[in-house]
Structures are given as structure tokens and as C-alpha cells.
Amino acid sequence: MSTTTTTTADTAAPGSPGSARVDLGSLKVVHTRHWFRWTLAAIVVFVVAQFAWSLVTNGRYEWDVFAHYFFSEPVLQGLGLTLAFTAITTVIGFAIGTLLALARLSRSPLLNSAAWIYIWFFRSVPLVVQLVVWYNLGYLYPTLGLGTPFTTDFWIVEFPTVQLISAFAAGVLGLSLHQAAYSAEIIRGGLLSVDQGQTEASAALGLPPSRRLGRIILPQAARTIIPNASNEIIGLVKGTSVLFIIAVPELFYAVQVIYNRNSRVIPLLLVAVVWYTIITTILSIGQYYIERYYARGSVRVLPPTPIQQAKHWIAVQWARLGDDPKSPPPLEGADAPPVPSVTRSGSNNDTIGGL
């Protein structure tokens, strides 16, 4: 049994109003007008253009001073220290945070309580206070070492605290231990986001706990952990500016020293702002591709990258100009928009479907 479907234009009697076929290609396309969206866009463009104009015309920015100090040796040395502190404290902080997260999920009341007290304490005390305490630890403990327990008889090894904990060591300790408390909660939240059935299934297969965690749980938890962890790392880059309180010559401290000498406050602060922006941009790009990598477990086809989207947009615009006889290939990805097709009529006019 077959069903034949015909349109009104095909079945109408000759001479009737519906007998003429309608050439859809000859119809004029009227796009929806989004007046509210266009108004907001115009306001945003105006504000951005006004700010850009002020950057060029306002001489108080002193862009010549900015250019002179942007690649100066003290600034680059401070930038290197900022990156070093960020890398070291990120590794140490997330390593300790992972152990604390596992302790918080442990069935041992002692480990659970100890991890909770650590997180509670280091989230309660401001970072500046922690840095000052670590820097002045020699006031409380003049010497540190190993020896007889519960005594100050360090007969194995002994160090003066002032020499052992320098400004650099105090900065690493303060930032790392502070970061570990926040990292622990981020990692714990990611582990809890994984369905309990994953743990039960891997246990039923006989996998040891370490392999269950490293091969089954953590890769799935990474989709939840990475956005928050990346946010913490970016915050840590800017958080290193607090180290000026203990005279560590990182980027912000180096800029402060320079503008205290020449009184060029704004251009020197712009130097720090631009460098922090560059670092944050690089880390944000890395975050995007790491998230995209771990998204393979949740989507069938990875969404297109910004570079792929830009290439596809250029190909579509080129096809619309009529210089390419073939339609561009479809953009692969879960959120890829439909690709307009290019067809040619008998004349030189091009009709593009999907508009």
C-alpha cells in the first residue's frame, strides 16, 4: 500500500488561482529585525570606541613610558618570579589538595577530621596574615631540626629558622598551603560528581582502588575539576602580587619600586596590568583545550574550535561572493550551524539556500 502526497499547486485545476507554481527563489527574504539587540550593540560599540579614543588622546597614560619599561630588566625578572611562584605553588597546592580530598572522603574519622580542620583553618586565615606569620616564624621557633621528640634537643640536624625560611620559602609555603585548602574542596566536589555506579562497577571488575581512582574516577571527575581548578590557577597568578608584603620582588613589587622612584604611577601600573592580562589569556586558552580534551567522554563529536569556526566562516563568505563553485564542507561538531548551499541559476545571479 503506498501513499501519494501532492501539493495544492500540483492538483489545482488549470486557470484556478492555485495552479501557478511559485518560484521560491524569486521570493524576497525579509530578515527578523532585532531592534533591542541592535540598540544594545550600538551602545556597547559606542562605549568601547569612546574608551579606545581616550586611550589614544589622553596624554596622561604616557605610552612612551609604558613602552620603555614593558621589557625592562626589573619587570622581566619580576615576571619570571611571578611565573615561578605560580608553577611551584600550583603543583604543591594541588598535590596536597588531592591528599586532603581523599582524606575527606576516607572512612577513617581521624583522617576525615584532620583534613576538615586543615581546610577550615587555612580558609579562615587571610593569605596576607599567613605570609607574614611564615616570614616571621623565627620569632616563635628560633631553630628547627630533628632530634629527641617533645624537646628542643635537635641532635640529628638543626637549622636557624631565619636562614631556613627565607622570603622565597615563606611565599611558597604561604601560597601552597593556602591553595591546598581550596584545591581540596574543588577535587572533592569533582570526585563526588562521578556517579556511584562507576565505582561499584569498577570494584565488581576486581580493579584495585588505586587503578579505580586513576583510570575510572579521576578522568570523569576532571570535567568538573578543570574549570574550577583553572579559575584557582588564574587567581593564583594575581594572588602572587600579595607577596610584596614580605618584599619578594615579583612583578607587582618590581613595578612599585620603579614608580616610587620616578612617580610614573599609571604607566607602570599599566605594565603590570598588561602582563597579568597576557598570562591570564594564555592560561584561559590552555583551559579551553584541556576541557575540550576531557569532553571526549561526554559528547560523541567534539565541538569545533574557534580556529575551525573562523576558517569555516571565511569559506562560507567566500562562497557567498560566488568565487567558489562548490559549497564549503559542513562544520563538524555538536554545535555546528547548518552550512548554506550555493546553487547557480542559468544567469550570473547566485541563489544561496538557507538564508
Side-chain angles (χ1 to χ4, degrees):
M1 179 178 180
S2 60
T3 303
T4 303
T5 304
T6 58
T7 62
T8 305
D10 295 334
T11 59
S16 62
S19 61
R21 291 180 177 272
V22 178
D23 184 9
L24 298 179
S26 64
L27 296 178
K28 182 181 179 181
V29 178
V30 180
H31 297 281
T32 304
R33 292 177 173 83
H34 304 278
W35 298 109
F36 182 72
R37 184 191 307 173
W38 292 351
T39 303
L40 287 181
I43 294 174
V44 170
V45 170
F46 172 77
V47 172
V48 172
Q50 181 71 28
F51 178 69
W53 178 83
S54 69
L55 290 178
V56 177
T57 58
N58 192 343
R60 293 183 178 88
Y61 281 105
E62 298 182 274
W63 293 111
D64 55 337
V65 178
F66 169 87
H68 176 73
Y69 286 104
F70 190 72
F71 291 107
S72 62
E73 184 177 354
V75 171
L76 293 181
Q77 289 177 352
L79 177 65
L81 269 179
T82 296
L83 295 176
F85 271 106
T86 302
I88 294 172
T89 54
T90 296
V91 173
I92 297 176
F94 277 90
I96 299 176
T98 302
L99 297 178
L100 290 172
L102 296 177
R104 287 279 284 119
L105 297 174
S106 173
R107 295 180 180 178
S108 170
L110 179 60
L111 292 177
N112 196 312
S113 301
W116 185 89
I117 291 173
Y118 178 97
I119 295 170
W120 163 78
F121 177 79
F122 280 95
R123 289 199 302 181
S124 301
V125 181
L127 178 58
V128 175
V129 177
Q130 296 181 39
L131 292 172
V132 174
V133 169
W134 284 111
Y135 188 63
N136 294 280
L137 190 63
Y139 177 80
L140 293 174
Y141 304 99
T143 58
L144 295 174
L146 297 175
T148 305
F150 306 108
T151 67
T152 57
D153 183 15
F154 303 130
W155 54 273
I156 299 177
V157 62
E158 184 177 4
F159 298 99
T161 305
V162 176
Q163 297 180 6
L164 182 63
I165 302 181
S166 60
F168 185 89
V172 170
L173 284 171
L175 290 174
S176 300
L177 298 179
H178 180 79
Q179 183 60 46
Y182 291 90
S183 302
E185 292 299 278
I186 292 173
I187 296 172
R188 185 174 72 91
L191 295 175
L192 291 175
S193 68
V194 180
D195 188 77
Q196 185 66 25
Q198 300 290 324
T199 304
E200 296 173 354
S202 57
L205 293 174
L207 296 178
S210 59
R211 180 162 295 186
R212 266 183 263 160
L213 177 66
R215 301 297 297 273
I216 306 296
I217 307 303
L218 274 179
Q220 298 182 68
R223 296 196 301 270
T224 305
I225 294 173
I226 288 173
N228 298 315
S230 301
N231 195 45
E232 285 294 315
I233 296 173
I234 291 174
L236 192 57
V237 173
K238 297 174 289 185
T240 56
S241 59
V242 183
L243 295 175
F244 81 92
I245 199 70
I246 56 175
V248 174
E250 43 76 44
L251 178 59
F252 182 60
Y253 183 86
V255 167
Q256 278 186 310
V257 171
I258 296 174
Y259 74 62
N260 284 331
R261 292 177 180 176
N262 60 15
S263 300
R264 305 291 195 220
V265 179
I266 296 300
L268 267 302
L269 287 178
L270 284 175
V271 170
V273 167
V274 173
W275 275 122
Y276 283 127
T277 304
I278 292 173
I279 297 171
T280 302
T281 303
I282 295 173
L283 291 176
S284 299
I285 294 173
Q287 173 190 349
Y288 170 80
Y289 282 99
I290 294 175
E291 287 183 8
R292 191 172 185 272
Y293 174 81
Y294 281 102
R296 297 178 304 172
S298 60
V299 296
R300 294 181 180 274
V301 181
L302 292 176
T305 64
I307 297 177
Q308 292 173 340
Q309 293 178 2
K311 289 182 177 180
H312 182 264
W313 183 84
I314 294 173
V316 170
Q317 303 310 314
W318 188 260
R320 285 178 174 175
L321 293 175
D323 295 328
D324 191 352
K326 297 185 298 182
S327 300
L331 183 63
E332 296 183 357
D335 300 326
V339 181
S341 60
V342 178
T343 59
R344 293 189 177 275
S345 61
S347 63
N348 293 330
N349 297 327
D350 296 333
T351 303
I352 302 177
L355 296 180

